[in-house]
Amino acid sequence: MFTAFLIKYAEIGIKGKNRYLFEDALIHQIKFALKKCEGKFLISKTQGRIYVEAQEEFDYEETIARLQHVFGISGICPMIYVEDEGFEKLCETVVKYVDDVYPDKNKSFKVNCRRAKKSYPMESMEINAGLGEVLLNAYPELHVDVHEPELLLNVEIREKIYIYSEIIPGPGGMPVGTGGKAMLLLSGGIDSPVAGYMIAKRGVKIDAVYFHAPPYTSERAKQKVVDLARLVSRYTGPIYLHIINFTDIQLYIHEKCPHEELTIIMRRYMMRIAEHIAKETGCLGLITGESIGQVASQTMSSLVATNEVCELPVYRPLIGFDKEEIVAVAKKIDTFETSILPFEDCCTIFVAKHPVTKPNVNIIRRHEHNLDEKIEELVKTALETDELIIVE
Ligand code: ATP
Ligand code: MG
């Protein structure tokens, strides 16, 4: 029965003079999200509100699901709209609306009219009272509560008349693209897809890099990362995923450096390479799924060591999250089931029995000099053989 949606947005409403930039970005993202939906939609903006109107038959559930992936939307209100054919006709429409949407009418209600079309012959208060009365007559089980109604019936009078009462929650956040771009270090684990989601939620466009170590990591492990990127891209839009062959670098570190420092040194090279690609592609930061103390390479001391090699800010949105909290988000965004598929990731193969938990940066730097002979060449080759997959 619904034929349109009022899109509610929270934070972008308070951006002052730049507000239209955010609104336009949100409209762009909505258009993009609905492009693959069945049906044609007209998306418009008037007086600080965004409307999505179906122009033909459409799939209601699918449309809602797609809108629920658009950051910047705080609520989606399914609406009906009718031509203005006089107040009596409006009363009929409202009575039918309540019947269609609320089979159980034993609830409190309030009519809330917004008269944007000032030439409408009645005032808002009059309309509220008139419609309220008609509804009470039609459905005696209803009762009025003007403070905390269970059913808030909104009637907006514009060129057409819009009626809505339900609010379906949106994902919140800011429209992707309003906050610049960042490079996500995406592994096949639970954490990094969640980290990417969280930064994208703040309006940041996401590129990603995955360090692949064939034959130690399989094609299936790589496919899993592509699949995860695809799941995240439902929120972020297309993701440029760089696949870097990391095997030779890893083997070289393995050959030349103390085993207990392997992971840290490897992580430092990942960060260096990720930053190199980030800078070349206009990213303003790196994103990782690290969380303090989760593993040896994520203690405060280890983070000092991995952080040291980067100039760009490193965003670690999960830094204070427990695993359980991360899992809850992973489930919410549907990446969890893919993340727990049992394909080895790059780090599990080269892990030492007793990795350092308090690496000393000076010692790490000194041991990295063991790599001086070949490492520059290996990094160069790795960058040259970057495989770019556009995931959407
Ligand atoms: P995740 O669940 O994201 O894999 P993790 O708990 O396994 O994280 P680590 O393996 O220590 O943690 O990795 C820490 C972070 O480093 C990851 O969240 C990710 O951002 C990045 N990372 C690790 N391995 C890779 C990889 N092979 N390719 C790209 N990034 C990686
Ligand atoms: Mg991992």
Side-chain angles (χ1 to χ4, degrees):
M1 66 170 280
F2 294 106
T3 45
F5 303 93
L6 168 67
I7 303 299
K8 297 212 172 213
Y9 46 90
E11 250 174 282
I12 67 172
I14 56 170
K15 295 290 171 191
K17 272 200 289 196
N18 287 331
R19 175 163 156 168
Y20 77 97
L21 291 176
F22 288 83
E23 288 172 337
D24 291 350
L26 180 55
I27 289 175
H28 180 80
Q29 294 300 324
I30 292 173
K31 282 191 178 150
F32 186 78
L34 296 182
K35 220 166 54 185
K36 289 191 185 120
C37 254
E38 214 178 290
K40 239 170 80 188
F41 299 91
L42 178 72
I43 297 151
S44 60
K45 172 175 93 168
T46 28
Q47 296 169 356
R49 323 200 91 186
I50 292 173
Y51 297 91
V52 175
E53 285 175 33
Q55 304 294 92
E56 53 187 47
E57 282 284 305
F58 73 108
D59 183 331
Y60 177 78
E61 300 295 335
E62 190 197 0
T63 306
I64 296 280
R66 297 236 177 217
L67 290 172
Q68 282 186 306
H69 286 85
V70 179
F71 290 132
I73 296 182
S74 67
I76 304 155
C77 308
M79 308 194 295
I80 62 167
Y81 59 93
V82 292
E83 297 297 329
D84 174 15
E85 294 172 318
F87 188 65
E88 222 163 281
K89 186 80 187 150
L90 176 59
C91 291
E92 274 173 41
T93 308
V94 165
V95 166
K96 180 167 182 328
Y97 174 94
V98 170
D99 199 29
D100 288 344
V101 183
Y102 302 97
D104 172 15
K105 294 181 187 60
N106 196 350
K107 43 177 102 275
S108 60
F109 85 106
K110 172 186 170 178
V111 181
N112 179 35
C113 173
R114 245 176 84 139
R115 193 176 59 129
K117 182 181 164 188
K118 294 297 171 202
S119 64
Y120 195 81
M122 293 166 72
E123 301 224 352
S124 304
M125 295 296 272
E126 241 179 299
I127 299 170
N128 287 341
L131 290 175
E133 193 182 321
V134 167
L135 282 170
L136 283 171
N137 287 335
Y139 310 117
E141 312 96 291
L142 286 175
H143 52 281
V144 175
D145 180 344
V146 293
H147 300 295
E148 279 183 47
E150 291 164 292
L151 155 53
L152 179 64
L153 188 78
N154 294 284
V155 177
E156 280 191 21
I157 303 193
R158 303 173 173 274
E159 273 323 301
K160 291 178 192 138
I161 299 178
Y162 298 83
I163 299 165
Y164 66 93
S165 55
E166 296 285 290
I167 302 185
I168 299 163
M174 314 266 264
V176 169
T178 54
K181 188 166 74 165
M183 180 65 70
L184 169 66
L185 282 86
L186 181 62
S187 68
I190 295 170
D191 307 332
S192 43
V194 172
Y197 161 87
M198 289 185 63
I199 296 297
K201 185 165 184 246
R202 298 306 302 163
V204 176
K205 191 165 163 33
I206 302 289
D207 281 353
V209 54
Y210 167 58
F211 296 93
H212 186 38
Y216 302 97
T217 58
S218 64
E219 276 306 298
R220 289 212 294 177
K222 171 175 153 188
Q223 186 56 44
K224 176 177 156 184
V225 172
V226 175
D227 293 344
L228 285 170
R230 182 164 299 119
L231 291 168
V232 174
S233 78
R234 292 182 309 162
Y235 289 94
T236 61
I239 293 178
Y240 284 57
L241 172 63
H242 300 263
I243 313 272
I244 296 290
N245 187 324
F246 202 55
T247 312
D248 291 343
I249 295 173
Q250 224 168 354
L251 289 172
Y252 192 50
I253 299 172
H254 192 250
E255 181 193 327
K256 298 282 185 186
C257 300
H259 283 196
E260 60 278 10
E261 287 169 8
L262 260 183
T263 308
I264 288 289
I265 295 177
M266 226 172 60
R267 300 272 310 120
R268 283 163 62 97
Y269 277 95
M270 284 187 186
M271 299 300 270
R272 288 180 174 114
I273 292 173
E275 180 173 74
H276 185 95
I277 307 171
K279 284 182 171 171
E280 294 218 315
T281 53
C283 291
L284 300 175
L286 303 177
I287 306 166
T288 74
E290 289 158 313
S291 150
I292 296 175
Q294 197 189 77
V295 286
S297 59
Q298 296 175 26
T299 61
M300 294 279 277
S301 313
S302 297
L303 289 168
V304 169
T306 29
N307 207 54
E308 187 210 34
V309 299
C310 299
E311 282 172 11
L312 287 177
V314 181
Y315 296 104
R316 300 179 171 93
L318 308 181
I319 201 70
F321 275 44
D322 294 348
K323 196 75 186 186
E324 253 174 67
E325 295 169 302
I326 301 171
V327 165
V329 183
K331 286 184 174 163
K332 185 178 91 178
I333 65 171
D334 244 9
T335 52
F336 182 72
E337 294 300 325
T338 304
S339 288
I340 58 172
L341 293 174
F343 310 130
E344 71 294 340
D345 74 33
C346 178
C347 310
T348 51
I349 285 168
F350 290 88
V351 272
K353 272 215 184 71
H354 301 289
V356 279
T357 52
K358 288 200 185 107
N360 175 313
V361 180
N362 293 320
I363 296 175
I364 298 278
R365 272 194 221 128
R366 196 179 328 130
H367 289 154
E368 271 182 358
H369 281 300
N370 299 351
L371 307 168
D372 283 349
E373 192 189 333
K374 285 208 287 190
I375 194 74
E376 232 173 87
E377 191 58 34
L378 291 176
V379 168
K380 192 164 158 259
T381 308
L383 285 166
E384 279 165 5
T385 52
D386 178 355
E387 178 195 357
L388 179 64
I389 301 177
I390 300 174
V391 180
E392 52 187 321

